[in-house]
Amino acid sequence: MSGDMTGFWIIHNGLSREGPGTPEDVAWAAEVAQLPKTGRVCDVGCGPGSDLGVLADRVPQGHVIGLDPYLSFVVEATLRHWDRPEIRVRRGSSLGGDGLMAPSDVGPLDLIWCAGAIYFDGVGPSLTSWRSALAPGGSVVFSAPVVAQADDAEAVAFWEGEAFDTDDSLDAKIRDAGYEVTARSRVSDAGWQAYFDAVEARCDALDGVDDPELQNAITQSRQEAETWSRLKDRLGYALRVVRPI
């Protein structure tokens, strides 16, 4: 899921989401994690802020903090929620290795939400780092790339080098990091379809731009959508609700 980054960002600039998911995923996570109405929540890798409003709705007497390493996303998410004082967005990274803010700087947290970004630093290292940011009884909810079978070369190739697991190996990494899984789910096909519909609509709008790099990115984006449609029963995003043991 890589390709020419200049073209990638042109296609993705202004999209409401930067990856598959639905508000229902967020609501499910908050309910299963027993998020209190006074909860303090951090969305790590919040992108343009598509999940921040849903999270804030679940903590009407609490606070939501979005962290993202890309300033453009921080600005977009801030403008998107400028009229909600309970939502704040800051530039940060998951582990703080580049000198940016890590979740521990904004804790203690009742919930850390991470939609599709935990693979950047790895499930194990991220969960280990985030433990210190959690309040007693706090949970981490994340989605991560998985394939149904580790030896399915075509499904593995879809992730183009991104970290991936099977459901079993993902759960093993969670246990090794000192967490227990309290609930399991999966990002729905509807969440994937809505994401690709938005990407393909943007590609259609940009089709007339006479630029080889952009056209290459458009071709790759359309191929990715087609490949997902063909392989969706063999890969996806696993959703996990986990707590430190």
Side-chain angles (χ1 to χ4, degrees):
M1 299 175 66
S2 54
D4 173 72
M5 290 307 295
T6 301
F8 175 91
W9 288 117
I10 291 173
I11 292 169
H12 282 249
N13 182 45
L15 294 183
S16 62
R17 294 194 66 90
E18 287 301 315
T22 66
E24 289 75 20
D25 295 332
V26 185
W28 170 83
E31 181 176 355
V32 171
Q34 299 179 321
L35 185 62
K37 294 184 183 299
T38 56
R40 188 174 179 90
V41 180
C42 182
D43 183 347
V44 179
C46 68
S50 54
D51 293 332
L52 295 176
V54 183
L55 289 167
D57 290 342
R58 305 297 299 205
V59 288
Q61 300 164 36
H63 302 280
V64 176
I65 300 160
L67 296 180
D68 201 274
Y70 296 105
L71 180 59
S72 60
F73 283 155
V74 172
V75 171
E76 190 173 347
T78 299
L79 293 174
R80 188 174 191 166
H81 300 290
W82 68 271
D83 58 344
R84 300 194 64 170
E86 72 275 25
I87 298 175
R88 288 290 178 265
V89 188
R90 303 179 186 179
R91 195 175 185 193
S93 67
S94 53
L95 295 184
D98 53 6
L100 300 175
M101 188 176 298
S104 57
D105 297 314
V106 295
L109 300 164
D110 298 290
L111 179 68
I112 296 174
W113 167 260
C114 184
I118 197 170
Y119 73 86
F120 283 114
D121 293 312
V123 171
S126 296
L127 292 178
T128 299
S129 173
W130 296 349
R131 176 188 289 267
S132 63
L134 290 173
S139 297
V140 177
V141 185
F142 66 90
S143 59
V146 292
V147 294
Q149 301 292 333
D151 59 356
D152 185 341
E154 192 175 21
V156 169
F158 176 82
W159 298 114
E160 293 188 4
E162 294 178 6
F164 70 90
D165 284 288
T166 62
D167 281 301
D168 288 343
S169 67
L170 177 62
D171 288 345
K173 287 181 178 179
I174 293 168
R175 289 192 299 271
D176 289 345
Y179 284 70
E180 63 177 345
V181 177
T182 58
R184 296 173 176 83
S185 187
R186 205 173 191 85
V187 173
S188 68
D189 286 353
W192 281 87
Q193 191 64 61
Y195 166 69
F196 281 124
D197 284 349
V199 170
E200 291 196 278
R202 180 62 58 81
C203 289
D204 290 343
L206 294 170
D207 228 356
V209 178
D210 185 13
D211 180 83
E213 291 184 353
L214 177 57
Q215 289 303 316
N216 181 57
I218 288 172
T219 297
Q220 290 186 28
S221 294
R222 286 175 170 156
Q223 288 175 344
E224 182 181 51
E226 186 280 327
T227 303
W228 169 79
S229 181
R230 184 164 47 82
L231 301 180
K232 60 185 177 182
D233 293 333
R234 294 152 56 187
L235 56 82
Y237 274 129
L239 272 171
R240 292 292 187 272
V241 182
V242 304
R243 284 195 177 105
I245 298 173

